[in-house]
C-alpha cells in the first residue's frame, strides 16, 4: 500500500477506537514511521506489525466496553470481557515453559512469573502463585458450582479460576487455571 493509504488506515483505526496513536520503536519501516508522524500523541501507544496494529497501551477499568471490543480480537474479548473459556489443551501457553513474565492480554499488567508455572495436566496454563497485588478473586457460582474467579486487578479482565487443596506438590497448594488467551508472555 502507498504511504498515504497506509497513513489513512492508521488514522481511521485510531478514530474508530476513540484514541490516538504515536510512533514507537526504531525498527519500524520508514513508511510506517511516516504514517505515525501524521497522528497526534496520546496516552495509548500502538505498534504496527505486518498485518495489523497491536495495542501496547496501559488500559484499565475505565476503558469502555466499546473500546475493548475494538482493541481486542473476538476471542480475547469473549474470554477477557465476557468471562469465556478456551477449550482445554488448545492454548499456546499450556505446555510452554520459557523464562519470563506473563502479562494481562488486555492491559499489559504483569500477573505471573514463569518460575510459578507448573504442569498440572488440566489443559490450561497453571500457576501456583501470582505477582503480589496483580490479581483479584471473586466468588463465581455459575454452572451450578462454587468457584473462585481470578481477574486482572488493573483492568478486570477474566483470567480463569483458582483452585485450592488439589494435592499438587507446590508451595501454596493452589492452582491458578488460566486461559492462554488472557495472557501474553514476555521473555526475560
Amino acid at each position: 500500500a502507498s504511504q498515504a493509504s497506509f497513513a489513512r488506515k492508521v488514522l481511521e483505526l485510531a478514530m474508530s477506537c476513540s484514541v490516538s496513536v504515536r510512533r514507537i520503536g526504531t525498527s519500524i519501516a520508514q513508511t510506517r514511521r511516516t504514517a505515525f508522524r501524521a497522528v497526534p500523541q496520546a496516552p495509548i501507544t500502538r505498534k504496527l506489525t505486518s498485518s495489523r496494529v497491536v495495542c501496547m497501551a496501559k488500559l484499565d477499568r475505565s476503558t469502555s466496553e466499546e473500546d475493548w471490543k475494538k482493541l481486542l480480537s473476538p476471542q480475547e474479548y469473549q474470554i477477557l470481557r465476557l468471562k469465556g473459556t478456551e477449550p482445554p489443551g488448545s492454548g499456546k501457553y499450556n505446555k510452554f515453559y520459557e523464562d519470563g513474565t506473563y502479562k494481562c492480554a488486555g492491559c499489559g499488567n504483569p500477573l505471573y512469573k514463569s518460575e510459578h508455572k507448573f504442569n498440572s495436566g488440566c489443559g490450561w496454563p497453571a500457576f501456583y502463585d501470582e505477582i503480589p497485588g496483580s490479581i483479584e478473586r471473586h466468588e463465581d457460582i455459575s454452572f451450578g458450582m462454587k468457584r473462585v474467579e481470578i481477574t486482572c486487578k488493573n483492568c478486570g479482565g477474566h483470567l480463569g479460576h483458582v483452585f485450592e487443596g488439589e494435592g499438587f506438590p507446590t508451595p501454596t497448594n493452589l492452582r491458578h487455571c488460566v486461559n492462554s488467551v488472557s495472557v501474553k508472555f514476555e521473555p526475560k
Side-chain angles (χ1 to χ4, degrees):
S2 73
Q3 199 172 7
S5 171
F6 188 81
R8 272 193 305 276
K9 286 181 182 179
V10 170
L11 287 170
E12 286 170 12
L13 177 63
M15 290 171 61
S16 74
C17 292
S18 303
V19 297
S20 297
V21 296
R22 68 180 171 92
R23 180 179 65 84
I24 63 170
T26 56
S27 63
I28 301 171
Q30 180 62 37
T31 56
R32 294 180 180 172
R33 285 197 299 267
T34 302
F36 277 112
R37 281 192 212 115
V39 182
Q41 298 283 335
I44 293 187
T45 303
R46 295 181 172 265
K47 177 181 177 183
L48 288 177
T49 65
S50 60
S51 63
R52 66 184 194 137
V53 176
V54 180
C55 181
M56 304 295 286
K58 187 70 173 173
L59 304 166
D60 60 24
R61 291 177 185 274
S62 67
T63 304
S64 72
E65 286 305 307
E66 183 179 313
D67 284 342
W68 282 120
K69 283 181 184 176
K70 293 174 183 173
L71 294 168
L72 300 172
S73 72
Q75 186 182 31
E76 288 170 334
Y77 185 79
Q78 174 64 32
I79 292 172
L80 285 165
R81 308 310 303 170
L82 301 178
K83 303 180 185 301
T85 302
E86 64 194 8
S90 67
K92 68 180 180 179
Y93 298 125
N94 182 32
K95 296 185 181 199
F96 180 87
Y97 296 99
E98 293 186 18
D99 288 337
T101 304
Y102 293 84
K103 296 182 173 189
C104 176
C107 70
N109 185 38
L111 303 170
Y112 298 101
K113 295 179 181 176
S114 58
E115 52 264 27
H116 296 150
K117 190 170 189 295
F118 70 102
N119 183 4
S120 69
C122 70
W124 292 274
F127 301 87
Y128 65 81
D129 206 0
E130 75 265 15
I131 294 173
S134 65
I135 291 177
E136 290 185 335
R137 289 166 169 75
H138 312 275
E139 184 178 283
D140 177 1
I141 54 171
S142 62
F143 303 111
M145 63 181 106
K146 187 176 177 181
R147 301 180 291 173
V148 178
E149 177 194 15
I150 47 178
T151 61
C152 172
K153 187 170 186 174
N154 182 62
C155 73
H158 173 75
L159 304 172
H161 292 85
V162 64
F163 302 94
E164 186 175 1
E166 295 180 314
F168 289 106
T170 64
T172 62
N173 203 19
L174 297 174
R175 175 175 60 95
H176 291 237
C177 185
V178 178
N179 290 289
S180 286
V181 172
S182 297
V183 295
K184 300 286 184 197
F185 179 75
E186 183 177 284
K188 279 188 178 177

